[in-house]
Amino acid sequence: MATYIIRRTLQSIPILFGVALVSFAIIQLAPGSPIDRFRTPNVRPETLENLIRLYGLDQPVHIQFVNWITAFVQFWNVEAWGYSLVDGRSVRDTLVDRMPATLLLGGTALLVTIIFAVPIGILAAVRQYSWADKAITTFATIGYAIPSFLLGLYIAYLGTVVFRGLFPGFGMVSLPGTEGRGTPLDVAWHMVLPVTSLAIQQIAGWSRYVRAKMLEVLNQDYVRTAKAKGLSAAKVTYKHALRNALIPVITLFGLTLPGLLSGAVITETIFSWPGLGLLGVTAVTQRDYPVVLAFVMVGGFGVVMGNLLADILYGVVDPRIKY
Amino acid sequence: MTARHVGPLLEIKGIKTHFFTQDGVVKAVDDVTFEIGHGQTLGVVGESGCGKSITSLSVMRLIERPGKIVAGEIRLNGENLLDKTDADMRDIRGDQVSMIFQEPMTSLNPVFTCGDQIAEAVQQHTAVSRREAMDRAVEMLRVVGIPDPKRRAAEHPHQLSGGMRQRVMIAMALSTDPDLLIADEPTTALDVTIQAQILEVMRDLREKNRMAIMLITHDLGVVAEMADEVVVMYAGKVVERADVRTVFGSPHHPYTQGLLLSIPRLDERRERLEVIKGTVPSPLNLPEGCLFKRRCPHRMRVCDTAPPYQEVGSGHFSRCWLTPAGEAPDVGADAEGEEAQHAAEQLTVGAR
Ligand SMILES: Nc1ncnc2c1ncn2[C@@H]1O[C@H](COP(=O)(O)OP(=O)(O)O)[C@@H](O)[C@H]1O
Ligand code: SF4
Ligand SMILES: [Mg+2]
């Protein structure tokens, strides 16, 4: 097991290198250049030349890549990821600052998702074609089909306008000067709408998946064997079927993890949630290249870690997997 | 337990199990009647799709929607299982009646150890501790001939071969000392040498436990080796029933004769095996009269009317118009309509 984890982790390195290469290429191919923001009518050409040399943009592309990647792996170094073109702060510190807000939001949404989606999916499968199943299917289809920006806006509208400000529609804490600002309760109160908005979409997908897997498993021969033993319906469903149905759900877990690291870009933007997602969007609109690249890399890192964790979890819960 | 019931262990009387599908009603089991005596082995044979599995699942009351047992009685030790509550039925399943299935590769739960799965059956039906149940599981694995049973009990099903898994299934089924074992094609998925070993285990345990077996198979060789009595099914109906010697020595129904001709034999050299011509009729498009008529070499006019289920010899029943001697019936091979119907009723009454 330990050797497997180590081997699997080492295998992630070339994948991460690929992610870095693609991220770098995309930035290179995108129109515009990092010094465009300094290009105003009264800037002298020599100043621009100096900037180009300062940032190493006069070097050939592959040298630029090597420079960037060697700097980037030194995540322990405050300077390594460069400085924001907008506020001049260390990019690494900015990302580290934003990380907790994103983890809090995404982690809570994931927890809420699991708490709701698993029982809902089981119910829909066990009572296939009942009114409950049909209601769940309808909800899931709508939740899945609605674009997240629309759902987010609608939930923001519901919480702030329809319910007259029952829940705050932006930020993570109350405005300065408000009593109890920044207490856990204050933060939780601010989380209600964004968590709801994220969770609804995820519950839609997850509950469908759990339902499908549960139906598949309920038709397996070993479920018939369990019934033939004289076990109760509850034991058949929750002991024999559920254990098997939840194994493939790990895949979804792995797919959800990157979102926990890089943030839910759209939801964070709508609710002005000060996480990585919002940071990324802002950086893109401001052409803050160092921040954008770091943001993309953190996202890519999340995907690779999600896959790695899913693979390891499979090994833990599925006795058929051998290393 | 209640006092020993006199009469057969299992009596199935006129059961009909129908599937109400979108395309129509599939009469998977249609008026099936037979008995199994204590300690007896009944072979149930017939081509794929003739209703063997649905008959056995009906006995277990494990028919799922859109299927339903719409008529008949299933008496175990004289008590009708169709009158039992779900809870009573659960106490019977896996205790008095156990079942093993065709697919040893998929019939065990992949996430639990073999020992756990056997112990679970034991604990479900007897008041024993977990440890005692586990000891029983290991003991059963030894009984069914699994080497190093203690180690195997701790293994997961994927670590065992198909033959070993079927042994585990048998161990599980027999761990509660059932009166009746239903074995639905227990050796079909296994290769020949393993098949012989599994049959050997079953024969051995049948003697030891004085247990009755309902052995479902489409392999007449297996029947010849194991069964006391035989029921031949075709398109949801029993078409012939007799003791094993009669079925092999003097089969009456043309379908049974066809099945026997299709067995490869070592003592005869045939250019090729005779196979029954044609295919099993679609359950949604069954012919009028005799269900076998489209494939039958003896077909007569009268076969357009449902044939009688008549006694053609002592304890030998056949659902066919041919006389016990295998000739065209007295009613006249050309009889039709009411005349034929009346004749069929007369002959059937004698049989029941
Ligand atoms: N769930 C179902 N829905 C509709 N028809 C079914 C269903 N299950 C079985 N049947 C039908 O019942 C008939 C008997 O099946 P089965 O008992 O499995 O045959 P076999 O003799 O091969 O074991 C088949 O014609 C099959 O099409
Ligand atoms: S009833 Fe007629 S068609 Fe049917 S098996 Fe007998 S002879 Fe053949
Ligand atoms: Mg079958």
Side-chain angles (χ1 to χ4, degrees), chain A residues 26-37 39 57 287 289:
Chain A
I26 288 173
I27 301 278
Q28 284 290 326
L29 293 173
S33 115
I35 53 145
D36 284 355
R37 53 181 294 112
R39 223 186 275 277
L57 297 171
R287 293 186 176 277
Y289 283 82

Side-chain angles (χ1 to χ4, degrees), chain A residues 80-100:
Chain A
W81 294 8
Y83 293 91
S84 162
L85 298 181
V86 176
D87 61 12
R89 277 197 71 202
S90 151
V91 171
R92 198 207 64 179
D93 284 354
T94 309
L95 262 73
V96 169
D97 283 353
R98 295 290 192 116
M99 193 81 74

